[in-house]
Each structure stands twice: as C-alpha cells, then as structure tokens.
Amino acid sequence: MKRRDFIHTGAVGAAFLSLNGLQAFSRANYSDENHAFCVQSERLIPIVYKVDVAVIGGSTAAVAAAVNASKSLAKVFLVAQEPYLGEDICGTYRFWPENEQPKHELAQKLYDQGIPTPMHVKRTLDKELIDNGVDFLYSSFVTNIITNSENEPAGIIISNRSGSQAIVAKTIIDATPRAVVARMSRATFTSFPKGKQRFKFIVVGNETQPLGLVDIRKIPEPVVFENQSYPVFEYTAEVDMKDGSFASFAEAEQKVRDLCWDANQVDSGDQIFHVPPDHMEGQKRCNKRDLDPYELDLKVFLPEKEKNLFVIGGCADITRESAEQLLQPLGLLIIADRIGEASALLASRSDTGSNLRVTGELNDSVPGDVGELLSGLRPSFNKGTVLAENHSLPVLGSYDVLVVGGGTAGAPATIGAARHGAKTLVLEYMHGLGGIGTYGLVGRYWHGYRKGYTHEVDMGVKALGGENPRKRALLGEWVFDWKIEYYRREIRKAGGTIWFGVIGCGAYIDKGKVKGVVVATPFGKGVVLGNTIIDSTGSADIAIAAGAGFVYTDDSSVAVQGSGLPYKNFNDFYNNTDWTYIDDSDMLDVWRAFIVAKDKFKGQYDVGKLPQTRERRRVIGDFTISVLDIYNKRTYPDTISIHITSFDTHGFTEDPFFALKPPALGGVKVTAYVPFRALLPKGLEGIIVTGLGASAHRDAMPVIRMQPCLQNQGYAVGWAASIAAKNNQEIRYINLKSLQKELVKFENLPETVLTDVDNYPPSIEMVKNASITVVNKLEGLEILLWDRQRAIPIMIEEFESSQNPQHKLIYAQILGLCNNDTGWKELQKAVDAYEEWDEGWVFKAAYGQFGASMSYLDSLIIALGKSRKIEVIQSISRLAIQLGPESPFSHFRATAIALETIGSTRGTKVLYRLLQLPGMTGHSMPDIQTAKEINEPVFSKKIIQPNLLDNIIRRNSLRELILARALYRCGDFNGLGERILIEYSNDLRGHFYRHASGVLEKYS
C-alpha cells in the first residue's frame, strides 16, 4: 500500500479568491449561473524547474521561440498541452501552408520533402528541442501563474497526471491558442462577442457533407502515403455561442463534429480551428492588414500591464484579419524567433524577484477543499516550493454523474448514466472516446464476456459503418474511428455532455465525500461538482488525489505487465505493441516513451497518442480481489461484472500460487467475478473506480482487464450512478440486487449472480481434504493457499506424519513459499540433488507469455530462501556460480529472491560475482539520449515485427536491478548494489525509478 503527498482538509468556511485563476475563468469565460466557487487551501507546490524563459504551448512557433531563446544563452523550459509537439499543424491537421513558406530553418526541416506526415512534424520538433537543450513536457496544462512582490509574472503552475508543479521563470512566452497565461495575469482583453463563431475542421478521406456547413473546401493536394491517396476537406461551420467559456467551446466542438463525420474518413484533426474574436490589449496596437514579420513592433505581443510576458498567437493586439494571416501554418516562425531572442535578452537583465507565490483574495466557497498530488515530477527534480495562498476555483458546472476518462469503461459508464436519466458529463483528455480500443489501437478483443452492453456496442459500431469496405469483420477487428463516433453519438443522443482535451487533476473533498473533480482545461483550472464521481482514468487518479490508498510498483516489487506505444497508418485498427514499460502517472516516463516511439517508428505516418499500458495504479477498495479468489471461483452477492479470458500476463507473476501451479496456457479460459465493493475506494464516499484502477492484486489483473468485460462493467457502474442520483444517495448504498436483476435482463450478467453468496472461507473439511489431495499433482493447492491461517498447521501435521519423501517435499515447498521453515531440510536436500540448473524461463513480456515464468528448481530455491536459514546459502550459491550472461532470467531472479530473503552478508559475494559477468550492468536510462540509442529495433528470427516487440532491453534492466536490490539488501559489496540502485533511481522509466527509489528509501 502506498499513500502519497496530497492536500486534503475539511471545510474551511470563508476562503480566498485568486485573481490569477479567476481572471482566466472570468465571468465572461465560465457559464455557471450561480458563479459558485470552491476553495483551495494554502499549500506548498514543488518547484521542478527554474529557468530564464518558460514557453507555454507546443506549436511550431512555441518551439521556434524556445530554440531561439536557448541559442541566445537562456535556460528554457516548454510546456505542451497535447501528447506531441506541433499542435498548430498536427492538432488541427493544417499541413498545407496557404502563404509563401518563410525562409526559416525550421520550416525547411519540416517541409523539405513536401507536405510532411504527422510523424515527421512531431519527431522533427522533438529533435529541435532536444538538440538545443530545451527541456519540455507533454500533456500538461497551465493552471495558475506565480507572481513576485511587484505582482509581476514569475512563473507558472502546471497540472498533469503527476499532480501540480511549479516552474519559476524570469520571462514567459504564452503560445497557447487562447493566451491562457496572459488571461491569468494583469493583462486585459476585449470582450468575447456573443453569437455565431466560425470554426474550421479538416477531415481526410471522407465524402463531402452537404448539410449545415458554411463552406466546404477541398484541399488541392491530397494526402499520399504508401501509394494510397486520400482527398482532404476543410469544413467551415458557424456555431452560436453564448459566451467564451470552455463549456461553450466544448459544445461548439461537438456540433462541428456532428456535421462533418462519415464512415469513409481515415483521419481528422484533433482540434477545431478558430481565430480568436477577442484579443489582448497590448503595449501597442497594429491596425495593418498585411504584416511584415521582420518589422512588426513586438509590443503588440506584450500586454499593456506586463513587461516580461509575451503572447505569440491570434490573441495579440492586431486586427483579426492579420491574426488569421499569422495563424496560417508557419506564419508565426519569424516573429517567434524575434520573441525568443527578446525574451532571452530580457531574462538576462532581470531576475524573478522576491516573495514568489500564487496570490488570492477572500470569497465564500462551497464547503470542502482540493486534494491533489504534490510530490513533484521526481524528488530529485524538486528545487524548493512556492506558496499557493488560499484561493477559490470557479465551479464550471454541476452534474448528477461526472465521469473522468472516456475510455474502455468510461465511455460506456457515461452512456449508462445518461440513458437512465442522470445529468452526465464525461471529461476526456483525448479528442475522442474509447481509450485503448480506439486511440490505443488495440482494435480487437482477446477473449472476454461479449454479451450485454458489449454486444450492443459491437452491433452499433458495425451498423454505423454499414457495408463500408473499411470493415474488418473477418479479423474480428473494428474500425477504430467508427467506435469513437459510436460512443460520441450515443452520449449526445442520451443527453450527456462531452468535454475533450481536459484532465481531472484533483478531487474536491468535504469530510470524506468526494463532491467534485478539479479539472485542468486549456482555459485554466476549475471544479466540476457531481453527486457521483466515476473515476475511469484507469489509474484511480481522482480517488488517489482524494486520499485513497493504492498499490503499485514500489520497494517490494518491480513486476509489471508490458506496455507499448503503436505507430499509426491509415486504416490501422490493431497495432498492439509490447516493447517497454510505461507508468501513465509519471510524466517523465510518458515523455520518454513518446520520444522513443517516434524514433522506433520513424518511417510510419503517425504515432499513437495513448500508451498501451496493461497494468496501472490500483486503488485499495472495500474489497481486494486476489488470485486465489479467481482460481477458487469465488462468488459474491454484489457482483457487478463478469470476466472471462485466458491468463495473459505479459511478464512474470509474483503470487506463490503460480510458483507451484502456473497459469494455464493461452487457450484455457478463466472466469472471474468482480464485486461492487472492489470498485469502492475504502474510506471515501461519492466516488467509484472502474477498469484497471480497481482493487485487485496485480496477478489478478490479467484476468479482469479485458475490453469487452470492462465495457460491460462501465455501463453497469454508470447505471448504478444514475440510481444514486435519482434517490439522492451515495452510490455505495444503492439497491444493488435491483440493479443486478436489470443487468441480468440485459445479459450484462448471468442469472446466477441473483442467488450467489460469498463462498469464502472454504470449510475446514475442504481444507483438510485439500491437504491430502495436494500431493497428487497439487490438487487443492488453491484452497490451501486461499485460507493459509488454517491450512498451515494442517500441512505441518501432514508433513511430519508422512513417510513418503515426495509428499514431504511437496508439503515443504508449499510451506516454504508461505514463509514457514518447517521443511527447509527437505528443500535443501532437493536443491542439492541438482548438479546443474534445469531449463528455466527466458524473459518474455511480449505476446504469447502464458504459463510458467519460473522453473521447478527456481521455485524450490525461492521456497528454500524463504526459510531464512543461513545454512542454505551454500546450496544456492553452488548453483548460482554456474550462471552466465545468457542463462535464463528466472534463475537470476530465483537466486536474488532467495538470498535477499535470507538477508545475510554471506550472500553478497555470489551476487556481486553475477553482476560482474559481461553485459550484466550499465542498462539504466538516465537521459533521453541514452533512451533513444538503447531502444533501436532488436532483430530476432523469432520476431516478425521487430519494432512492435522487445524483450532484451527490459530483461537486461530487470536482471541488473533485481540482482542489485538483492546485493544491497544483503549488506552490499564494494558499494555496487547501492551504485546501481542510485542509477535506476534516476531512470526515465517510471517503474524502475519507483522500485529503485523505494528500496533505497526503505533500507537506507
């Protein structure tokens, strides 16, 4: 269990209103009729970067400004909102410059081969920043501004899935489309005009849509890739907007998408394009229609009241015609160069000032407080803290059901709630719904329970596309953009609301009840209130921010299922990869994975936008599902979903049960039930968690993570939340049996759940019988380990009374794996009988890892080590010294586990010797250059698609880390264990960082 740094206090009555945060969400910019606020109490926010210039935005202009500032000797940091750079081109799909291409180095790199692919743009921009020493992050939103004693901008607060962090800067370049940082400062803006606003949206490959559009323009040059040509259409639509709030823009986006979609499209923009109708009042106004980027006075990009904040984009103090001209692809590069240089010069002549803080003023607020992660990106990055004073956040809306994450379970949850009468909002960071099955490009089921809502989804997606040739029915795949559109249409048809391009970055809590979600948007930070919060983030982000305990890789474990990032070409629906490990909640790790993926797949059209992770943070719920619950076919009175699949582990297992009785091979299915209690975070009201964030042991997750099952689970949870709203009650206390009856009618659940009771614990007769049958091919082992407290004394009796050596060894091995030393001499005798190692398990995280992940001898050695008898070290060492660099991974792991469990210095020399073998050390990834170099494709005769898979890189790192951990825990030798752990505590890969840091912290 792990609890992390967060802020969570009770109601504080009167609170403070932040001028900074409120101005970004001023009354012109948010639409809640009551103008309500929620309090964020005083807190310290970790500073992760101190720089000369902070650039906010991931556009080509932002990159150009950052690079030129760096070339002018400034230290620069860039914050990108999207999971890539080039949002002005790739995000809007505006790859075709309408004006003459400027004579600019970056323009030449982007367009040297004609119209570029998204992959080329994204990879080129990454390289520009990396080569010029500019640090940057993806998927982060500016949520506040830091000021000094003179009330001048001195940095920003950003929020992302790692929490909130501060970046201190002498100058700021705001390259966001709506000038969000400037709106948080003392800058003033013209009012946002009510009425019709014009938006453009680009779609590739579809047929022109005749209704409701102002203009349809066919781009003269089609998209051509791999000898396929696709027409491109730019649609222009007018949408009536009541204000400039994010909610209004979110609804406008949905209306535009309503008009433009058809089944033939093969791609489209992530974002709609819009020229801001309102603009900043600058230090100078330019009314010219045609601008010379070399001569234009930079004061039009400086707010009237700020001297160290530049605005690059359509909100500058220029005419709206000129703004549209500059917002053409590449139109801002020359100006960006000039602003980059000017900002560096300004920074060299100034400092950030004193008394840095996020300020606030008094205001009444809804009772409660904001809970959020405040541990920074990594402890080694933290450079002090910034005080954020008490202030209030605007309420952006209030709903019966608020779904955070519109992925595999979240989109169905939204539909389930909205269909059953609940006022429902879904918040989704991607610009579409469906998660791993759509943007994750895992567009095919692997087993799973396919009745109920999943059947409806499958039929609905097929019907949406009709008999279109893009259908892949024979392969069991779906057209991923059809599924995205199916979910979107069903939510809107049911009356639900959709916000794309936002994240839930915190929880609003009052006395143990989660009353809302803190939302980071392109317009700033606010709170959305809800009767029930459905946390479908996949990592229990909101529950954890609210204070829930959770389980993840830590000092005790580095086992995790394999991850990947796919490439994406036209009509790709299934690019399932497994070549790395990715911690979704670690923004440095996500950054590393996206950069490396673009190098691995550099010849493809595009790269995926969503990490393909199979294992994430899991909340500690009212009930935790164990491996033994599944393998004993445990039933519950409160079953909410059924899961059927083979045990697809994508790595190695940890539960002792699998050391003796490995999961079956891929064709054998396992059935598991998930109780409602496993989705309810312990100690919290008003919130429920779906999907991979559920409360379960990590070895249970391969059975309960399959897409069809989670679609059904999400729909059921959404339905449950609607019942809670209708009855004005907490979701924990709804009449679940009544809901189960409806779910049975819908075939979401089998009828048996209506009469199921909890079949745990097993009767004493079952335990006694299993203690007798277990010597026959381990029959009944799952029962013995299910109820260890009663089983261990019975097994000890059987061991001591048995005269059969083979039976005694079986009892000894089971007892040993349960940390009981009764049979240690039998185990030692069995190990000593081996002259050399048995076959062992070669590390395999990628496809096809079914069955055992250790050999029989490995399990004997681990059981022997758990006796904690120093006398057995010689037996283990005798075999360990036979290992070489190419020996199976499982033998190294077994040796390490056994010796570190004993924990004697007598084990250090053999561990040290193993680490001295050729190629055993030096596999950490401390920086992005190392990560890029080490992840070159690994070719093997056994691997058909070398770019999609990798086992060697992870094996090398895991082997080194596990041996170093054991060496360190045994007392270390020549400081080698500690040195290696320190190296991995700085690894860009989040799981290795978490494990190494945890070991160093616990055993220091």
Side-chain angles (χ1 to χ4, degrees), residues 163-310:
S164 290
Q165 307 95 37
I167 300 166
V168 173
K170 297 175 183 177
T171 61
I172 299 173
I173 298 175
D174 182 350
T176 61
R178 294 284 298 152
V180 62
V181 182
R183 293 175 193 270
M184 293 177 180
S185 73
R186 295 172 296 189
T188 56
F189 284 74
T190 59
S191 60
F192 189 93
K194 293 182 179 180
K196 292 189 180 298
Q197 292 294 321
R198 186 162 287 197
F199 297 92
K200 295 182 178 182
F201 189 60
I202 289 183
V203 179
V204 180
N206 74 344
E207 297 177 1
T208 57
Q209 307 301 298
L211 301 176
L213 293 159
V214 174
D215 185 47
I216 301 172
R217 183 173 73 95
K218 186 174 183 180
I219 303 294
E221 187 172 352
V223 171
V224 179
F225 186 76
E226 292 185 341
N227 299 319
Q228 293 291 316
S229 178
Y230 301 94
V232 183
F233 295 95
E234 181 187 71
Y235 294 113
T236 301
E238 285 188 343
V239 179
D240 200 24
M241 296 180 67
K242 63 179 180 179
D243 55 36
S245 67
F246 178 76
S248 291
F249 273 91
E251 177 61 19
E253 177 182 358
Q254 297 307 317
K255 289 179 176 178
V256 172
R257 290 179 182 274
D258 288 341
L259 296 171
C260 298
W261 189 87
D262 83 359
N264 292 304
Q265 70 178 55
V266 295
D267 213 347
S268 67
D270 289 334
Q271 305 165 358
I272 52 178
F273 174 73
H274 178 240
V275 178
D278 51 343
H279 64 81
M280 173 191 71
E281 294 183 355
Q283 294 182 10
K284 190 171 183 178
R285 169 75 178 170
C286 180
N287 290 312
K288 293 181 179 180
R289 294 176 64 91
D290 296 318
L291 302 180
D292 183 342
Y294 294 96
E295 299 296 332
L296 182 60
D297 194 327
L298 293 187
K299 289 183 178 180
V300 304
F301 301 100
L302 282 164
E304 187 177 17
K305 298 177 182 178
E306 303 291 4
K307 65 181 182 181
N308 63 340
L309 170 60
F310 292 89

Side-chain angles (χ1 to χ4, degrees), residues 309-504:
L309 170 60
F310 292 89
V311 172
I312 303 179
C315 289
D317 201 349
I318 54 180
T319 66
R320 298 303 81 202
E321 294 80 6
S322 296
E324 185 167 12
Q325 173 189 335
L326 288 181
L327 289 175
Q328 292 299 321
L330 310 179
L332 279 163
L333 290 184
I334 302 300
I335 290 169
D337 276 354
R338 296 176 59 205
I339 288 177
E341 185 177 357
S343 65
L345 179 61
L346 183 60
S348 70
R349 296 173 177 174
S350 59
D351 57 38
T352 54
S354 59
N355 198 28
L356 305 187
R357 61 188 56 221
V358 177
T359 57
E361 289 187 356
L362 192 66
N363 188 74
D364 289 334
S365 299
V366 174
D369 195 8
V370 169
E372 60 181 340
L373 301 177
L374 291 173
S375 55
L377 295 173
R378 300 276 178 88
S380 60
F381 275 63
N382 293 346
K383 299 169 177 62
T385 56
V386 165
L387 175 67
E389 297 177 349
N390 293 321
H391 63 275
S392 288
L393 300 173
V395 172
L396 309 181
S398 183
Y399 294 83
D400 296 328
V401 179
L402 177 56
V403 183
V404 189
T408 308
T414 309
I415 296 168
R419 276 187 184 175
H420 294 93
K423 181 184 177 184
T424 308
L425 168 67
V426 60
L427 308 171
E428 171 54 47
Y429 173 61
M430 294 285 108
H431 296 275
L433 302 161
I436 288 295
T438 56
Y439 278 94
L441 286 177
V442 184
R444 185 193 306 164
Y445 295 141
W446 172 258
H447 296 306
Y449 182 78
R450 304 188 190 183
K451 296 181 180 180
Y453 181 67
T454 283
H455 178 71
E456 181 182 325
V457 171
D458 295 343
M459 295 300 101
V461 171
K462 289 180 181 179
L464 190 64
E467 293 305 313
N468 188 288
R470 297 179 70 214
K471 185 184 293 186
R472 295 281 192 90
L474 293 178
L475 296 175
E477 298 175 358
W478 53 81
V479 181
F480 88 92
D481 48 281
W482 294 1
K483 194 162 188 174
I484 291 171
E485 181 64 10
Y486 168 80
Y487 281 137
R488 196 188 71 83
R489 289 190 180 189
E490 289 299 308
I491 290 171
R492 286 179 64 74
K493 185 167 66 176
T497 303
I498 302 168
W499 288 4
F500 288 151
V502 299
I503 61 167

Side-chain angles (χ1 to χ4, degrees), residues 690-705:
T690 67
L692 301 192
S695 182
H697 186 276
R698 60 129 353 232
D699 280 353
M701 291 309 298
V703 178
I704 64 173
R705 67 171 172 80

Side-chain angles (χ1 to χ4, degrees), residues 138 409 489 529 567 625 663 709 776 829 931 955:
Y138 305 120
R489 289 190 180 189
L529 300 176
Y567 62 81
I625 303 165
C709 312
N776 179 25
K829 196 184 306 178
R955 180 208 66 181

Side-chain angles (χ1 to χ4, degrees), residues 702-767:
V703 178
I704 64 173
R705 67 171 172 80
M706 296 300 162
Q707 289 186 61
C709 312
L710 294 183
Q711 288 169 174
N712 281 334
Q713 182 189 93
Y715 188 80
V717 167
W719 197 338
S722 74
I723 294 171
K726 182 178 181 180
N727 296 330
N728 193 28
Q729 63 184 150
E730 303 296 348
I731 193 169
R732 179 179 265 104
Y733 306 112
I734 67 166
N735 184 337
L736 192 64
K737 194 57 65 178
S738 175
L739 174 60
Q740 284 179 325
K741 290 178 182 178
E742 296 300 321
L743 292 172
V744 167
K745 293 178 186 177
F746 195 58
E747 293 192 300
N748 235 52
L749 289 173
E751 192 171 2
T752 53
V753 303
L754 299 178
T755 54
D756 279 343
V757 296
D758 196 336
N759 58 353
Y760 179 86
S763 68
I764 190 64
E765 290 75 18
M766 292 173 66
V767 175

